[in-house]
Amino acid sequence: MSLEFILGLPEFKSLVEKLKRGEDCLNLSGLIPEARAYFYALLAGQIDRPIVIIEPQTWPLEDIKREIEKLLSFFAMKREVESLPPLSTDPYLEVPAPLDMVASRMKVLYSLSQSRQPVILTNLAGLLKRVPRPDDLASLVIKLNHGQAYGRDLLLKQLADYGYTQEDLVSSAGEYAFRGGIVDIFSVWSKNPFRLEFVENQVASIREFDSSTQRSISRLQSIIIPSLKEYPGGQELKEEIKRESRKKQTGLSDLLKKIKLWEDGEILPSFDYYALAAKDHFQPFSSYLSNPLFILEEKDLVEREWAEQFEDWEKTFDNLVKQRSFALPPDGIFSLDFFEDIKNKAVYIQEFSEEVDRPVIHLGFQPVPRFDNRIPFFLQYLKKRQEERDICYILLSNPGKKDRLAHLLRENEVTVKMLSDVKEEPKGEEINLIEGQLERGFSYPRQKIYIFAEKDIFTEEKVLISRPPRK
């Protein structure tokens, strides 16, 4: 049985068949957190739909994203994985959104607008915030090609409108600089900045360069520069915000002062939320999705976190109204109907579920022991697995560690097989070593298979030995 054993399980095949028929309203049990990245990577290879995985607020989206990406690479599968984090922890705080979060959100919207079908990791604060309508998204992304007719001054104005910061030399994402016909841009979607040369309102060349040495790395035919704001600029939007706000007759004076700051070039972080007053320009995130598969992890925890968070925001909004400050209520920022729709059709993943009104599919994942450098216990455990004729895999991060562990096991009379193909099926009781990265291991006792991560066996922590004081 190979590392892709889940593809042959009757319970997994049944799940895939139901999802392909659109029978998403399911409850999935027996999928422990340690095995979820593995499950998602293999599921992504079977389901040709956008997959939206909703995590609890406290779970690190980027860490889970990286683990799924590593496993997709390990299994030689191609599938785009993105995260849709919240812009901020509190929409009523004047705190700039972190650039990596802005970049991630814009990348998800752009990817979906191009009819791609990514795996999206998100939480409710990230998913339910209303986003620019698809028609407006085109004005929030600049596409430039080599040889294209495009004015340098127009580009500089757009970069400023997008929220990029002008510097003498670019060194970080979100910055731009210019001198004569040369414009340097450090896009939040790229590892290195771009250098564009303009000749008579034409893009004469595009190069990627090293910001530390200023030396060119490569020539490019095209680049894409996203906005750092989730709202279109322009006077039309400002007038629409004023128009809608006058209907409320609360905090209008405060809003007009803030719009004046906007017109003077001072952008408040909360304009990402004020702009939502122009309702015609914003829609629920669902407007970008076509036949999505929603997966809701730990539903009870997600709902409890959301209820507590939403209650805090409502209290903050009430205080702002009393102070005659302009603000939108939480339900004007977040699409609550969208969440109700998700709950009605999502796959629920819960270790312990009381859901009785939907079909249940039981998986049989279990954790594996963690040995934390206690090698004698680890060797004893492996010998027990061999006696039971179980299939054991150990994933190691590099060839050197793989060779050293093989040597250690053979020294202790544990038979070893070195694998290079994830599809290879072991035929004996050897401990199978393969190069790959896994955060934590797991087992599937029904199939007598045990998969260990390097971290389950070894730690990088130094062991401090206490010694009696010298007399």
Side-chain angles (χ1 to χ4, degrees), residues 70 74 394-407 418-419 433-438 452-455 458 460:
K70 287 175 184 176
F74 179 67
I394 302 175
L395 275 67
L396 297 148
S397 57
N398 60 61
K401 289 184 178 179
K402 185 177 166 185
D403 291 339
R404 287 194 293 274
L405 182 57
H407 180 70
M418 309 288 263
L419 297 182
L433 306 186
I434 189 166
E435 189 178 342
Q437 293 189 3
L438 187 66
F452 291 91
E454 189 176 302
K455 289 182 180 179
F458 307 109
E460 296 179 358

Side-chain angles (χ1 to χ4, degrees), residues 70 108 113 152 168 178 188 206 230 254 272 332 363 460 469:
K70 287 175 184 176
V108 170
S113 75
R152 186 211 69 162
D168 294 332
F178 69 96
V188 290
I206 306 174
E230 281 192 23
D254 178 57
D272 276 299
L363 298 175
E460 296 179 358

Side-chain angles (χ1 to χ4, degrees), residues 47-85:
I47 302 298
D48 190 24
R49 300 162 59 185
I51 300 176
V52 182
I53 304 166
I54 304 161
E55 308 275 5
Q57 192 73 26
T58 50
W59 291 15
L61 298 179
E62 281 300 316
D63 291 352
I64 302 168
K65 172 179 178 285
R66 281 191 292 269
E67 192 175 355
I68 295 173
E69 287 175 329
K70 287 175 184 176
L71 285 166
L72 284 169
S73 176
F74 179 67
F75 290 114
M77 294 191 296
K78 291 184 179 179
R79 188 74 188 261
E80 186 179 349
V81 185
E82 302 292 351
S83 64
L84 185 72

Side-chain angles (χ1 to χ4, degrees), residues 22 49 221 235-236 246 292 307 313 382 384 402 446 454:
R49 300 162 59 185
Q221 289 300 309
Q235 193 61 33
E236 178 190 349
R246 284 193 180 95
W313 291 337
L382 290 184
K384 178 67 175 176
K402 185 177 166 185
R446 292 181 203 166
E454 189 176 302

Side-chain angles (χ1 to χ4, degrees), residues 333-456:
I333 295 172
F334 300 99
S335 179
L336 305 185
D337 291 343
F338 182 26
F339 183 37
E340 292 303 315
D341 185 46
I342 290 170
K343 287 194 291 184
N344 289 333
K345 61 187 178 186
V347 174
Y348 293 170
I349 295 180
Q350 300 184 101
E351 287 193 67
F352 306 102
S353 173
E354 297 180 358
E355 299 289 339
V356 294
D357 59 342
R358 48 176 52 210
V360 180
I361 294 179
H362 297 285
L363 298 175
F365 287 98
Q366 294 289 332
V368 295
R370 291 176 60 177
F371 294 94
D372 297 331
N373 286 338
R374 294 172 295 178
I375 302 304
F377 293 100
F378 174 59
L379 295 171
Q380 184 181 356
Y381 184 84
L382 290 184
K383 289 177 181 180
K384 178 67 175 176
R385 296 275 66 80
Q386 286 189 313
E387 289 173 9
E388 299 289 336
R389 300 181 67 84
D390 295 330
I391 299 171
C392 290
Y393 290 94
I394 302 175
L395 275 67
L396 297 148
S397 57
N398 60 61
K401 289 184 178 179
K402 185 177 166 185
D403 291 339
R404 287 194 293 274
L405 182 57
H407 180 70
L408 172 67
L409 296 180
R410 287 170 181 146
E411 272 190 336
N412 288 272
E413 300 179 346
V414 177
T415 54
V416 176
K417 184 175 184 180
M418 309 288 263
L419 297 182
S420 57
D421 184 358
V422 296
K423 297 182 182 297
E424 186 175 347
E425 297 193 8
K427 297 178 181 178
E429 292 81 44
E430 303 98 341
I431 302 301
N432 302 280
L433 306 186
I434 189 166
E435 189 178 342
Q437 293 189 3
L438 187 66
E439 191 65 24
R440 288 295 176 194
F442 51 86
S443 65
Y444 210 91
R446 292 181 203 166
Q447 300 295 320
K448 295 175 70 65
I449 188 165
Y450 294 78
I451 300 172
F452 291 91
E454 189 176 302
K455 289 182 180 179
D456 298 322

